[in-house]
Amino acid sequence: DDEGGGGGGPVPPTPLSALTSLTDLNLSENDFAKPSALGPLKFLPQLTILNIDGNEELMETRNWKKETLKLLPRLTKLNNDGTGTGSGMKYRGPVKYDDSGSKEVFETNADRSSCSCIEGN
């Protein structure tokens, strides 16, 4: 299977192919419209840190982070947030604290009508 996704045969070399030691890349404030525009970055074998902050159109795309991590599975940091798939880590959504006791706290304090934070005190 070729990694170019465009049919059969080997993938032609790209200018990025020569950057075999590049580990950290900042592409912030560009005009990427969707995660697939980052496709050529998959040819950077050592790339683990990518900053694409400020690419507003891309970041407004539904599931942009999930799609970017799927496209670039070696990333360990995306926009400096530590969310990545390197070292076996995978983004699984918000953290759940099942045994934290939070359920009891929220049930006990269910009536928030007299909470000073709501009243502005």
Side-chain angles (χ1 to χ4, degrees):
D1 184 34
D2 73 337
E3 293 196 26
V11 177
T14 69
L16 294 176
S17 300
L19 303 174
T20 58
S21 299
L22 185 68
T23 60
D24 188 334
L25 184 59
N26 184 343
L27 293 174
S28 61
E29 304 295 330
N30 280 281
D31 292 323
F32 297 112
K34 51 189 173 179
S36 62
L38 302 171
L41 301 181
K42 67 184 170 184
F43 298 109
L44 298 172
Q46 301 297 317
L47 183 66
T48 57
I49 301 170
L50 178 62
N51 185 356
I52 52 173
D53 195 30
N55 288 281
E56 302 303 328
E57 188 174 349
L58 178 131
M59 295 176 148
E60 290 174 1
T61 304
R62 183 176 180 163
N63 299 320
W64 72 269
K65 183 179 267 187
K66 180 180 177 183
E67 293 300 316
T68 300
L69 292 172
K70 182 178 175 183
L71 182 67
L72 304 168
R74 289 182 294 270
L75 292 180
T76 57
K77 285 190 177 182
L78 179 58
N79 290 354
N80 298 315
D81 71 357
T83 301
T85 58
S87 305
M89 294 173 37
K90 293 194 177 186
Y91 180 71
R92 293 185 174 96
V95 176
K96 296 179 183 177
Y97 300 98
D98 296 328
D99 296 325
S100 68
S102 60
K103 182 177 180 181
E104 292 79 19
V105 170
F106 288 121
E107 287 176 355
T108 302
N109 296 307
D111 179 16
R112 304 252 186 225
S113 62
S114 63
C115 179
S116 63
C117 61
I118 294 175
E119 295 171 5
N121 295 329

